[in-house]
Structures are given as structure tokens and as C-alpha cells.
Amino acid sequence: MTAKIIDGKVIAAELRARVADEVARVKREHNLVPGLAVVLVGSDPASEVYVRSKHTQTQAAGMASFEHKLPADVSQANLLALVTKLNRDSAVHGILVQLPLPKGLNTEAVVNAIDPAKDVDGLHPNNAGRLAGGFEALSPCTPLGCIILTKSVHASLEGMNAIVIGRSNLVGRPLVQLLLNENATVTIAHSRSRDLPGLVKRADLVYAAVGKSEMVRGDWLKPGATVIDVGINRIPKDDGKTRLVGDVAYQEALAVAGAITPVPGGVGQMTVACLLVNTLRAACAIAGLPKPAV
Ligand code: NDP
């Protein structure tokens, strides 16, 4: 058996096209142009690549994109002042401060300063709490993407056994909440979990969000399981360059799983597409319009 490969590239492109259609509609019917502001502090090369991609994709979807680049030695007060300015700017419906922030800046204080209505990263405690309580919330983009990818294989996740490996605020914890909302039965595993292979073996849905190259082995999987690999790990190659691998031993898993996301070309593709979804939803909510059809 060879697993079905879940093509994040194709699914993300479809999602972006649906967002663009809805953006065109709200523009036409309500004169509303959703706007996303991205704040980049310092010059981390990986962050710069992400920010560029967010800018291009936001514009391609017909939204306004505002980029704010601050030096790595910006003061906490000046960064907070920019967030406050963006909170008040009526052309901005989504605010994303690219993480990680350089050392010396207080990430928690910056995230907490973002207006929860514009918190398209879904990291503000108001949104995290609302999600945990089962209320409508802006949810983190990567977990949202994981759910969409899973639903490309399973129309309903009701009653399925899911395991989420990793409990970060960015991925693992919100993903657990989203899976609960889908009526899955969820196990959350982390670095202190015992017998991880045994826990994974019981799962119909496996989400690996650890940051350890190929940690989840093929023989851990239940035959036919759906595997969503969130991990992005850079491995040095002989020619001095690097290649990307996930948290799952892909070739091994291909032979056992029912469906699997590749790295690259899986979850990573979905994250920015879901950021566009969140920006559109935030814009509609702020303008008092019904939830968009995406
Ligand atoms: P964190 O480092 O914040 O969290 C990693 C989690 O993995 C922790 O909860 C940790 O447990 C757990 N963990 C570490 N070692 C083990 C182990 N041996 N067994 C079981 N669990 C373990 O990472 P993130 O959640 O931010 O990211 C996870 C991965 O996803 C990374 O590779 C990251 O690059 C990638 N990522 C990909 C995105 C995308 O768009 N595709 C977006 C965001 C992240 P504990 O809590 O006990 O320390």
C-alpha cells in the first residue's frame, strides 16, 4: 500500500482563490478592502522570506498589505506604540507581528497589546481562551490549515482517534481545540509522554508538531492512518546546502499510512492561505458583516 499524498500546494491554491473571490465580493458589495499589517523586527532570513510571501499572497488575493520593518534594537515602547497605531488604523483588519522577536523584547506583552479583533495569528489570550471554550475565535493559522488538509481526506472527523504531538501555543494546543470542535477524540503528547509509539499506534489521525527530524517512524503508525506533518527541519546536505524534512520519516510512513502530507508542499503551504482567511474574517467581523463564505 502507498499512502495518498495530500497536496498542500493544490489545496492552498484553491483556498486562496476562494478568499480572492470573497474579497472581490465584499469590495463590490460593501466597499470593504481587508487589510493586513505585518510587523517584522530585525532581519532573520527565514522571517524575511515568510514576510515577503505573506505580502505577495495578500496582494494577490486583492487585500491591502502593509509592511512595517523595525530594527532589531527597537525599544519595547516603540514596538508597542506601532501596535497601538495599527490597532487604531481603520484600514488595518489584521495585525501579525512576525515571531520570534529578537532577544530583549517581551513577546507576551507585544501579543497581548494586539486588538483581539485584529489578532489574525490567533495568539492573544482572548482568542486562545475563546477557542478553548468552544466559542467563535480567530484561531492560529497552522492548526487551521491542518484541519483543512485532514478534511480533504475525511469529510467528518467525528469519533476518530487523533494524536497531536507537541503542545506549543502556536500549533499543538490550538490544534487540539480545533479537533475537539470537530468531535475527534484527542490525545496530546509532548516530551514527557510515555510510550509515544504506543500512543501513536492507536491514532487514526496523527499530527506531528515537534521540530525533530523524522522522529515519528513508519512502524509507529496504525495502518491506514492519516498523517499531517507540521515539522520543518533543515538538514545539511553534502553540497553545503540544506534540505527540508518533517517530523515524520516520510518514506517509511508512505508504506503504512492511508494519507500523508509531504514536507515541503504540505502544511507549510496552508499557513499563509489561512492567514488570508483570518484577515478576511476579521475584516467582515469588524465591519459588522456576516461571516464570509470561506
Ligand atoms: P515548539 O518547540 O514550540 O514545540 C515543540 C513541542 O514538541 C513541545 O510541546 C515539546 O514538548 C514537544 N516535543 C519535543 N521533543 C519531543 C519528543 N521527543 N517527544 C514528544 N514531544 C516532543 O515548536 P512549534 O510548535 O512552534 O513547532 C513545531 C514544528 O512545527 C517545528 O518543526 C516548526 O518549524 C514547525 N512549524 C511549522 C509551521 C508550518 O507552517 N508548517 C508553522 C509553525 C511551526 P514539551 O512541551 O514537553 O517541551
Side-chain angles (χ1 to χ4, degrees):
M1 185 174 79
T2 301
K4 170 191 157 75
I5 294 167
I6 304 172
D7 192 337
K9 245 185 182 160
V10 168
I11 298 169
E14 283 167 6
L15 186 58
R16 289 198 304 270
R18 287 172 50 211
V19 171
D21 284 349
E22 278 294 272
V23 169
R25 185 186 61 78
V26 295
K27 221 182 259 183
R28 198 172 56 239
E29 292 179 3
H30 303 284
N31 206 18
L32 171 67
V33 180
L36 172 67
V38 176
V39 179
L40 175 63
V41 184
S43 53
D44 174 66
S47 292
E48 281 186 338
V49 171
Y50 290 138
V51 167
R52 212 171 308 132
S53 148
K54 284 166 188 170
H55 177 67
T56 313
Q57 294 192 29
T58 306
Q59 287 193 324
M63 302 192 200
S65 170
F66 308 97
E67 262 186 76
H68 295 270
K69 292 194 174 176
L70 299 175
D73 61 357
V74 68
S75 68
Q76 178 83 12
N78 283 349
L79 176 55
L80 288 175
L82 174 60
V83 171
T84 305
K85 190 168 146 238
L86 296 172
N87 282 343
R88 292 190 183 130
D89 186 340
S90 60
V92 171
H93 307 95
I95 302 171
L96 184 147
V97 178
Q98 184 67 42
L99 301 179
L101 289 173
K103 280 205 179 80
L105 292 168
N106 181 340
T107 301
E108 195 182 336
V110 172
V111 168
N112 290 356
I114 296 172
D115 178 348
K118 298 189 176 186
D119 168 40
V120 284
D121 236 356
L123 293 176
H124 191 286
N126 276 27
N127 282 315
R130 290 184 62 83
L131 178 64
F135 302 106
E136 186 79 36
L138 284 167
S139 309
C141 302
T142 301
L144 277 177
C146 290
I147 297 291
I148 294 171
L149 292 174
T150 313
K151 289 184 121 183
S152 75
V153 182
H154 306 282
S156 165
L157 313 187
E158 185 167 321
M160 297 181 94
N161 283 336
I163 185 163
V164 176
I165 316 172
R167 56 176 166 180
S168 70
N169 288 341
L170 188 62
V171 188
R173 284 174 200 260
L175 181 52
V176 166
Q177 304 302 337
L178 291 171
L179 285 163
L180 279 178
N181 290 350
E182 296 290 337
N183 297 317
T185 304
V186 195
T187 300
I188 181 158
H190 44 77
S191 66
R192 317 289 171 87
S193 297
R194 291 192 195 133
D195 186 22
L196 188 57
L199 295 173
V200 171
K201 199 72 174 184
R202 298 208 309 252
D204 308 304
L205 307 173
V206 177
Y207 300 86
V210 179
K212 289 204 168 11
S213 312
E214 303 187 327
M215 186 188 85
V216 176
R217 311 309 308 189
D219 62 6
W220 295 14
L221 299 169
K222 176 175 170 178
T226 295
V227 179
I228 307 291
D229 190 350
V230 183
I232 299 178
N233 308 292
R234 278 174 204 281
I235 301 277
K237 290 197 298 185
D238 292 341
D239 61 5
K241 295 185 179 161
T242 56
R243 70 185 175 97
L244 294 184
V245 299
D247 289 344
V248 178
Y250 184 71
Q251 289 304 330
E252 292 177 16
L254 268 183
V256 187
I260 185 166
T261 57
V263 176
V267 176
Q269 295 283 328
M270 296 299 291
T271 298
V272 182
C274 288
L275 176 64
L276 304 182
V277 172
N278 273 352
T279 305
L280 171 65
R281 286 183 182 164
C284 290
I286 290 168
L289 300 177
K291 212 175 155 186
V294 62

